Amino acid sequence: MNTPKLNLAVIVMNEKKVLLKKIRDNGKEFWDFPTGLLGFREDFGVSALRIVQDETGIDVKVLDDSPVYIINEIPRGLSEHYVTLFILSYLGHNEFKVMRLEKEGRYRMYLWGCLPNNTSTRIKKLVSQGYNPCRDLKRNLVLSAEVD
């Protein structure tokens, strides 16, 4: 029996902007979050840090190990099945590293309300269901400040 793969999409935020990466797949180009599979015996926060570090070279702060959103992805015409957990992270003081990535053209910061049209299916699903990571970021930063 086949089982779904557990995928993590890391929402990297700075203020009201999210970091998206450009993906080229089968002649199509679209924008998506840094994404990867959950490692064996790895917790969500550690996995999210690894995924962002591996893909961008940037260290982020995971504000909460709990997923902020979950979607079931069964791509049409493919024999794949993913359950994607969205983990919220904060960019912090990595603006210069992001500027370097933007110059290379592979990554870009977008205002959540002004995302490009060619985003991934998972981002389109989040937007269509009314999810707004800015609310979660604000709430988590306040909670983080209260704990520190």
Side-chain angles (χ1 to χ4, degrees), residues 80-146:
E80 297 172 344
H81 181 185
Y82 296 97
V83 173
T84 300
L85 309 177
F86 293 85
I87 303 293
L88 188 63
S89 68
Y90 184 64
L91 189 57
H93 301 289
N94 287 301
E95 291 89 2
F96 292 114
K97 290 182 180 178
V98 171
M99 287 170 55
R100 178 183 47 80
L101 293 172
E102 286 181 325
K103 271 187 174 179
E104 294 171 7
R106 297 178 300 142
Y107 291 86
R108 186 158 176 209
M109 296 294 295
Y110 285 98
L111 285 170
W112 182 253
C114 300
L115 297 174
N117 291 331
N118 59 333
T119 57
S120 67
T121 304
R122 66 176 60 100
I123 292 177
K124 285 181 168 73
K125 189 175 271 192
L126 286 182
V127 170
S128 72
Q129 294 179 1
Y131 178 71
N132 184 343
C134 300
R135 286 189 302 256
D136 284 335
L137 177 66
K138 186 176 181 181
R139 180 177 51 87
N140 278 301
L141 286 175
V142 167
L143 291 174
S144 177
E146 290 173 358

Side-chain angles (χ1 to χ4, degrees), residues 12-91:
V12 179
M13 296 212 54
N14 194 16
E15 302 297 323
K16 295 179 179 178
K17 292 184 176 182
V18 294
L19 180 68
L20 299 181
K21 67 177 180 173
K22 187 185 294 184
I23 296 176
R24 290 183 181 92
D25 187 28
N26 293 329
K28 294 181 181 177
E29 187 174 280
F30 58 93
W31 294 91
D32 200 1
F33 299 120
T35 304
L37 295 174
L38 180 68
F40 183 70
R41 299 182 61 92
E42 195 173 44
D43 72 26
F44 298 145
V46 170
S47 186
L49 292 173
R50 174 186 52 78
I51 289 166
V52 175
Q53 177 58 240
D54 288 353
E55 290 193 15
T56 68
I58 294 175
D59 294 317
V60 295
K61 180 177 181 181
V62 173
L63 299 172
D64 186 354
D65 283 356
S66 303
V68 293
Y69 214 85
I70 302 170
I71 61 173
N72 193 24
E73 296 184 276
I74 307 170
R76 285 189 202 129
L78 298 176
S79 61
E80 297 172 344
H81 181 185
Y82 296 97
V83 173
T84 300
L85 309 177
F86 293 85
I87 303 293
L88 188 63
S89 68
Y90 184 64
L91 189 57

Side-chain angles (χ1 to χ4, degrees), residues 1-12:
M1 181 172 101
N2 291 338
T3 58
K5 294 177 182 170
L6 194 54
N7 209 19
L8 291 183
V10 186
I11 304 171
V12 179

